[in-house]
Amino acid sequence: MIRLGRYSGLALATAIVFVAAPSYGQSAESLAFLRDVNARIAAPSPDAIASLLKDGFERGQQKNSQVCIPASIAVSDIKPATADAGVWIAIRNSKMVNAWTVRATMTGCPVGSANYLVIRFADDSAGRAVYRPIGFSRGTTHAGFSISKDAMNAVVGGMAGALTKAKIDIKTCGGTLIVGPREITMDGGLGPDIYGVRFRGDWKEKWHFQECGHDVAVPVHFIADGHGGANFDVNASDVELK
């Protein structure tokens, strides 16, 4: 399970600061840039990504003995995330050279599976590739890293509003917010995945949480903005509490 702190300042944890990208849409110049980046900078192998993740779990356990180290990690669904708004501007500003989304299935730990953004930075002084994986969701989703980061505060705000309406005091109930899996509930008319982005159409997801002793499902409606991002709508009255 992915655990986050209380509501103030809640965001996806990352040491990388992403700045909103300028409008670039699907121009011929933009698509040529995306193709060029991926022709030059290929994704690491599944085994290499699994090794990166295992190293991260082992470092995490050194800081927190409760961190579970999976018995095995299987990596699948490696896809370019070059057109993700945050990745795009970071590459343009020479902060990284490419990035991919992957799904990691882990045995022997409660989390089961999670989606990661694997970032490749410039080579180190010895000419070795430098990577960093960042977990950002579980389950199935069309919302990439930057869209997920943008939407998270609104989603958690909708959940908090629903709990308050049900007269559940989120300030005193104690415990830690647990982020569960996502599920896609509608994606009719959605455009194709182009280097990690849907440039047209809309889709709906449910984001699941556990808070204050309740299972909470927050519906989110995303509408692609044509520039690599998405507008989103969260209505507290549609949140499901169990």
Side-chain angles (χ1 to χ4, degrees):
M1 293 178 287
I2 301 173
R3 297 176 181 270
L4 297 178
R6 306 307 297 178
Y7 300 118
S8 60
L10 182 64
L12 295 179
T14 173
I16 309 301
V17 176
F18 287 95
V19 181
S23 171
Y24 58 89
Q26 298 180 76
S27 69
E29 179 186 1
S30 297
L31 292 174
F33 171 79
L34 295 168
R35 286 193 295 268
D36 177 68
V37 169
N38 283 279
R40 291 185 295 104
I41 311 295
S45 70
D47 287 346
I49 295 172
S51 180
L52 286 170
L53 294 174
K54 184 178 179 182
D55 289 346
F57 284 118
E58 290 175 346
R59 288 194 300 271
Q61 193 180 66
Q62 291 174 1
K63 298 177 181 179
N64 181 352
S65 61
Q66 294 185 346
V67 171
C68 178
I69 298 178
S72 65
I73 303 174
V75 173
S76 60
D77 296 334
I78 303 174
K79 299 177 182 178
T82 322
D84 177 288
V87 172
W88 170 277
I89 196 65
I91 293 173
R92 286 294 199 185
N93 288 337
S94 302
K95 300 298 184 183
M96 64 178 69
V97 296
N98 207 352
W100 305 266
T101 55
V102 307
R103 175 167 295 175
T105 301
M106 293 156 282
T107 59
C109 289
V111 69
S113 66
N115 304 313
Y116 287 82
L117 181 74
V118 178
I119 298 170
R120 179 170 173 179
F121 298 99
D123 295 350
D124 65 14
S125 58
R128 295 170 298 196
V130 178
Y131 296 97
R132 179 179 298 170
I134 302 173
F136 70 92
S137 69
R138 295 174 56 202
T140 58
T141 182
H142 290 318
F145 182 87
S146 292
I147 293 175
S148 294
K149 187 173 184 293
D150 290 342
M152 181 60 82
N153 281 341
V155 170
V156 172
M159 178 185 65
L163 289 167
T164 300
K165 185 177 180 180
K167 302 188 183 305
I168 299 169
D169 189 347
I170 59 177
K171 294 182 179 179
T172 61
C173 69
T176 302
L177 175 64
I178 300 176
V179 181
R182 303 176 186 177
E183 58 178 317
I184 297 168
T185 58
M186 186 279 286
D187 61 1
L190 191 62
D193 184 307
I194 300 177
Y195 296 104
V197 163
R198 311 282 178 154
F199 284 99
R200 69 174 188 271
D202 65 321
W203 74 98
K204 295 180 180 180
E205 300 185 4
K206 282 185 180 180
W207 291 18
H208 295 269
F209 302 86
Q210 292 179 15
E211 175 65 306
C212 296
H214 292 268
D215 293 325
V216 188
V218 183
V220 193
H221 183 197
F222 295 93
I223 303 173
D225 64 10
H227 306 300
N231 300 309
F232 47 85
D233 179 60
V234 178
N235 190 333
S237 64
D238 295 330
V239 175
E240 303 169 9
L241 296 180
K242 295 182 181 179

